[in-house]
Amino acid sequence: MSVHDGHRDRMRKRIIENGINSLEEHEILEYLLYSFIPRKDTNEIAHNLLDTFGSLKEVFDAPIERLERVKNISRNIAVFLSSMSELSRRYMSLKEDDDIYIINTQSAVQLMMPIMST
């Protein structure tokens, strides 16, 4: 039995119990890669992405062609990862339709985030 046995199940459990923000940047990438790489350890690939681009944000902002240059990153993975920043912006713009009241600093940041991220 390997230390990696059950790793994906443990990660899913952490997300369910504590949310995606409980994961480190490389773990978020690992998790996102599970759907594309079902039977291989994605930890090294996640670290390669972060070593190449420097941060999760930079991975998501990277052009498809640059992502594909990273070892074990297929076109499908590159397209998926490069779509994450636009998906986030779209989601945040949809939240603009929700009633947001400025009652503290956090709600002011929440209101301004979609505007400032474009």
Side-chain angles (χ1 to χ4, degrees):
M1 189 158 171
S2 160
V3 69
H4 298 294
D5 290 346
H7 177 69
R8 291 181 181 206
D9 289 334
R10 287 190 301 275
M11 193 171 298
R12 279 187 207 85
K13 184 177 178 185
R14 280 176 57 198
I15 293 169
I16 290 167
E17 292 176 356
N18 305 306
I20 195 91
N21 286 330
S22 67
L23 304 181
E24 299 291 326
E25 286 192 344
H26 74 277
E27 293 173 318
I28 291 171
L29 284 170
E30 278 186 75
Y31 176 73
L32 293 174
L33 292 169
Y34 289 170
S35 296
F36 295 93
I37 307 171
R39 301 208 191 305
K40 184 176 177 185
D41 182 8
T42 57
N43 182 279
E44 182 179 345
I45 300 167
H47 281 286
N48 286 343
L49 285 163
L50 290 172
D51 290 345
T52 301
F53 297 101
S55 71
L56 189 61
K57 178 194 177 305
E58 294 302 320
V59 170
F60 292 161
D61 286 342
I64 293 166
E65 296 76 25
R66 286 206 49 224
L67 287 163
E68 287 180 299
R69 289 187 213 140
V70 176
K71 184 179 177 184
N72 294 313
I73 297 297
S74 68
R75 182 115 178 129
N76 284 342
I77 295 169
V79 169
F80 175 75
L81 292 174
S82 72
S83 70
M84 295 304 290
S85 60
E86 183 59 34
L87 178 63
S88 296
R89 282 190 287 278
R90 168 105 30 118
Y91 173 76
M92 293 306 288
S93 73
L94 294 173
K95 286 185 61 113
E96 287 178 1
D97 294 339
D98 295 346
D99 291 333
I100 298 175
Y101 301 96
I102 299 176
I103 56 174
N104 57 30
T105 306
Q106 183 178 357
S107 61
V109 169
Q110 198 174 21
L111 178 65
M112 295 305 295
M113 191 63 80
I115 297 164
M116 297 177 74
S117 67
T118 56

